[in-house]
Amino acid sequence: MSVRVEPQIKTFLVAEDVRQEKSNKYIVIGIFSGMIKVKDMPARIPLAFFMEFYPVPLGQRNIWLRVTLPQGDQVEMNVLANVKDNSRAMVIPSPRFEVHIEQEGDLKIDVRFDDGEYFAVDNVQISHDPELTPHLFGNKLDAPHDL
């Protein structure tokens, strides 16, 4: 009887976009760290995920991502990976997509591998802030004093 070894998430980032260069480096743009503030509600938010995991059994793997929006709607996507070398962590960037947010609350992200069970990997709070204005440095319009 063989024991199934589930891959472990090493890194999981929620961002606006993830791109892969020809040199195999990744560019992660607009990382969200626990909260996404929007000026208008409802809102359309661009999302992309950067996921690094190990160990990965050799062969073709189905990686499922499920995003549950604050209003309860779910978005599910499948990434197919052909694992030829499992001696190091594997990186999967998701394609960029947009979600339609209708209310404040939690955006929940779950992952499952092949026919395994979904497990939670991130939870991002969506917050409506009608006073939100464009800025260059953090929450201030002026530069930090220690530049």
Side-chain angles (χ1 to χ4, degrees), residues 7-133:
Q8 301 296 309
I9 301 290
K10 181 177 177 184
T11 306
F12 191 89
L13 300 174
V14 179
E16 290 180 330
D17 200 5
V18 178
R19 301 176 189 169
Q20 185 175 8
E21 295 181 346
K22 290 181 181 179
S23 64
N24 207 36
K25 291 189 291 185
Y26 292 89
I27 300 170
V28 182
I29 301 167
I31 298 172
F32 295 114
S33 61
M35 179 182 289
I36 299 173
K37 290 185 178 183
V38 295
K39 180 176 179 156
D40 300 312
M41 192 68 75
R44 294 193 75 70
I45 299 173
L47 292 176
F49 306 125
F50 176 90
M51 182 172 58
E52 183 180 30
F53 56 93
Y54 67 95
V56 184
L58 294 173
Q60 210 166 51
R61 304 274 72 96
N62 275 305
I63 298 118
W64 293 89
L65 294 160
R66 179 177 65 194
V67 180
T68 304
L69 306 177
Q71 65 267 20
D73 297 342
Q74 291 186 331
V75 177
E76 193 172 52
M77 80 173 60
N78 175 246
V79 178
L80 192 59
N82 189 14
V83 181
K84 296 177 182 176
D85 175 10
N86 64 355
S87 64
R88 56 190 170 87
M90 180 170 201
V91 172
I92 299 286
S94 80
R96 183 176 188 241
F97 62 101
E98 281 193 350
V99 293
H100 182 79
I101 304 295
E102 296 175 4
Q103 65 190 46
E104 290 184 306
D106 290 335
L107 185 134
K108 299 173 185 173
I109 304 152
D110 303 309
V111 172
R112 78 176 166 100
F113 295 96
D114 298 316
D115 59 353
E117 297 292 321
Y118 274 107
F119 59 93
V121 291
D122 210 342
N123 191 32
V124 179
Q125 183 182 357
I126 306 294
S127 175
H128 179 219
D129 183 354
E131 301 299 317
L132 193 64
T133 57

